[in-house]
Structures are given as C-alpha cells and as structure tokens.
Amino acid sequence: MSERMGRYIINLPSKPRIIGAAAVVGSEEGKGPLLSEFDYAYKEDYIGEKNFELGESRLLKDAINRAIVKSGLKNDDMDMVFAGDLLNQCIASTFGLMEFNIPFSGIYGACSTFSLSLALAGIMADSGAVRYAVAASSSHFCSAERQYRFPLEYGGQRAPTAQRTVT
C-alpha cells in the first residue's frame, strides 16, 4: 500500500514498473537527431487524417497500440488509461481512446500531463485498484497552435527562432 514519506514523496512498495513503451511523432520531430529513438515518425502533419486534431488522436492511438504490443499484453488486459492532451475536454485523447473500450481518466496538466499520468497509474497499480494501466500524453504542434496561438490556416509567418510545442 502506498505511503507518504515526508511532504513530497510517496513510496510505492510494490514497485510498479513500465513494461511497454512507445513514442510516435510527427514530421518535424522525425527530421531531428532523435529519429532513431522513436518507434515511428509520420511524414506529414495531418497524420493521414482530415484535420490536426484527428491527427493528434491518431498519434495517441498509435503510440498506445504499439506500447501494448511491446508489453506482450492485449487491450483487454488493461484496467485503466490515464491520458491527456492540450485541447479542450482532452478531446484528442477521448477520440483516440474510443475504440480501446478501456476505462479512461482524462488529465489536463499541460507539460505535466505525462508525469501525472505515470504517477496516477503507479499509485493505482500499487493500491491494487488496477493490475495494468496505460499512461499516455499527446501534443500535436498544429492543434496546440490553433488552441493557444494562431490557427495555421491564417497563413501567419513564424519567426525562424520560434519554438514548436510538442510532448
């Protein structure tokens, strides 16, 4: 059973661990020096979908499928998914997870979403509430740009030094 050790540490005596992991990225990340570290890099920003938001859902779905396969388990073995994204109502995660038929807890923590997902999955596994859980996070530059800055469809020019939002 989980126990607090001071104010900032929670001890998980059962030592939950990661048994399958995957990283799926978009075109820009695929051009970078970490390409060999990713499981798959899509060649275009729509990820084969009609819009950026559906593309982000597909990124998440693809990454989760790959992680489950690498774990040696099946979707039916998963007791819960902890996942989130940067869009309203965690919509990319919600649509990306619909076909899995696994209970879903949406997390909206911006840059901390994946850390929160891992922490919650670990605590739930340690407590015995779940045997296997999925922890995931997604961020698609183009959907985040539309949500927080300027829709790319407006044709605004980005400075060469501008950063890209990615998780």
Side-chain angles (χ1 to χ4, degrees), residues 142-162:
C142 299
S143 61
E145 191 72 7
R146 185 186 332 233
Q147 178 84 6
Y148 294 104
R149 295 176 193 94
F150 301 103
L152 298 176
E153 295 87 344
Y154 288 171
Q157 298 296 310
R158 296 175 49 79
T161 57

Side-chain angles (χ1 to χ4, degrees), residues 81-146:
V81 176
F82 298 92
D85 54 71
L86 294 174
L87 303 179
N88 294 339
Q89 292 84 38
C90 293
I91 202 72
S93 300
T94 300
F95 282 108
L97 293 166
M98 280 191 336
E99 296 174 17
F100 285 94
N101 198 28
I102 304 170
F104 165 52
S105 178
I107 299 169
Y108 188 87
C111 293
S112 67
T113 299
F114 189 63
S115 298
L116 289 168
S117 298
L118 277 174
L120 289 170
I123 290 168
M124 292 291 278
D126 186 69
S127 75
V130 303
R131 183 161 163 81
Y132 297 108
V134 174
S137 177
S138 70
S139 177
H140 186 297
F141 164 71
C142 299
S143 61
E145 191 72 7
R146 185 186 332 233

Side-chain angles (χ1 to χ4, degrees), residues 45-65:
D45 286 336
Y46 283 98
I47 319 297
E49 298 293 337
K50 291 187 284 186
N51 59 51
F52 300 132
E53 291 77 12
L54 289 172
E56 183 170 348
S57 292
R58 184 168 175 187
L59 281 172
L60 184 73
K61 180 180 173 181
D62 189 3
I64 290 173
N65 272 325

Side-chain angles (χ1 to χ4, degrees), residues 61-78:
K61 180 180 173 181
D62 189 3
I64 290 173
N65 272 325
R66 290 169 187 269
I68 291 173
V69 166
K70 287 167 76 174
S71 76
L73 300 171
K74 299 182 199 109
N75 288 0
D76 291 344
D77 296 321
M78 301 300 123

